[in-house]
């Protein structure tokens, strides 16, 4: 794809980095796909804007690792207006926030180590669209209490 991008006279590419790809097991980070992306961009004289897909994107929790998705007790799920649990991580889950933040911080530390002096990566944009479909917000005891305030 790089040659086609260069033929279009592009110099910067937006590229995704997902939480599930860099932390397949809790506390074990695998940056090989990120390393490859940075090296390949450099080899083709391109820059990168990384898109971090963590806990939420387009109101879903698609990019969270399997170990997060499997543990509904530790990583709270949202509740719909009808009281039914949704397959979306709750914004009120401290464990979710902390785990996502640790993964993001580990990625940023790794980027500094491999690219701090080269600046192949120009920026990282956090994708955190938490909207709930078809309702506009999360429900449940924590969400309803926060909304009432």
């Amino acid at each position: 794809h790089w040659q086609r991008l260069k033929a279009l006279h592009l110099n910067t590419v937006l590229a995704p980095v997902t939480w599930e790809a860099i932390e397949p097991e809790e506390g074990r980070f695998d940056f090989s796909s990120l390393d490859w992306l940075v090296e390949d961009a450099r080899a083709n004289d391109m820059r990168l804007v990384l898109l971090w897909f963590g806990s939420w994107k387009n109101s879903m929790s698609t990019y969270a690792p399997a170990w997060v998705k499997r543990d509904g007790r530790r990583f709270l799920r949202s509740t719909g207006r009808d009281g039914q649990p949704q397959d979306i991580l709750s914004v009120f889950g401290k464990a979710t926030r902390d785990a996502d933040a640790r993964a993001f911080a580990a990625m940023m530390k790794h980027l500094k180590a491999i690219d701090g002096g080269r600046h192949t990566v120009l920026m990282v944009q956090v994708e955190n669209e938490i909207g709930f479909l078809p309702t506009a917000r999360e429900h449940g005891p924590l969400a309803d209490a926060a909304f009432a305030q």
Side-chain angles (χ1 to χ4, degrees):
H1 300 290
W2 295 106
Q3 293 309 312
R4 187 173 55 183
L5 296 171
K6 288 181 82 153
L8 292 170
H9 303 289
L10 298 177
N11 64 5
T12 305
V13 175
L14 279 71
V17 177
T18 67
W19 182 12
E20 66 182 340
I22 69 160
E23 193 180 11
E25 295 175 31
E26 187 170 9
R28 187 182 66 80
F29 294 98
D30 177 358
F31 295 111
S32 58
S33 60
L34 178 58
D35 293 345
W36 168 84
L37 184 60
V38 171
E39 291 168 14
D40 226 30
R42 276 189 199 143
N44 287 280
D45 197 30
M46 299 285 261
R47 299 288 184 258
L48 295 168
V49 171
L50 299 179
L51 306 175
W52 170 252
F53 290 95
S55 295
W56 302 279
K57 173 64 176 150
N58 294 337
S59 82
M60 298 304 294
S61 296
T62 308
Y63 301 102
W67 56 270
V68 170
K69 292 176 186 176
R70 285 191 302 261
D71 190 348
R73 297 185 108 185
R74 182 170 159 211
F75 300 102
L76 301 178
R77 299 302 188 270
S78 63
T79 302
R81 184 183 313 174
D82 60 2
Q84 295 300 309
Q86 297 179 322
D87 197 21
I88 302 170
L89 294 166
S90 172
V91 298
F92 297 96
K94 182 181 180 323
T96 302
R97 181 198 63 211
D98 292 350
D100 188 325
R102 277 190 302 273
F104 182 76
M107 179 190 67
M108 295 301 288
K109 182 178 179 181
H110 183 75
L111 279 174
K112 183 177 182 181
I114 66 165
D115 195 47
R118 300 282 301 269
H119 306 291
T120 306
V121 177
L122 300 176
M123 67 177 271
V124 177
Q125 176 176 317
V126 176
E127 299 291 323
N128 61 350
E129 300 162 354
I130 303 174
F132 293 90
L133 301 173
T135 64
R137 69 173 184 88
E138 180 176 346
H139 289 270
L142 294 172
D144 291 343
F147 187 76
Q149 289 181 354

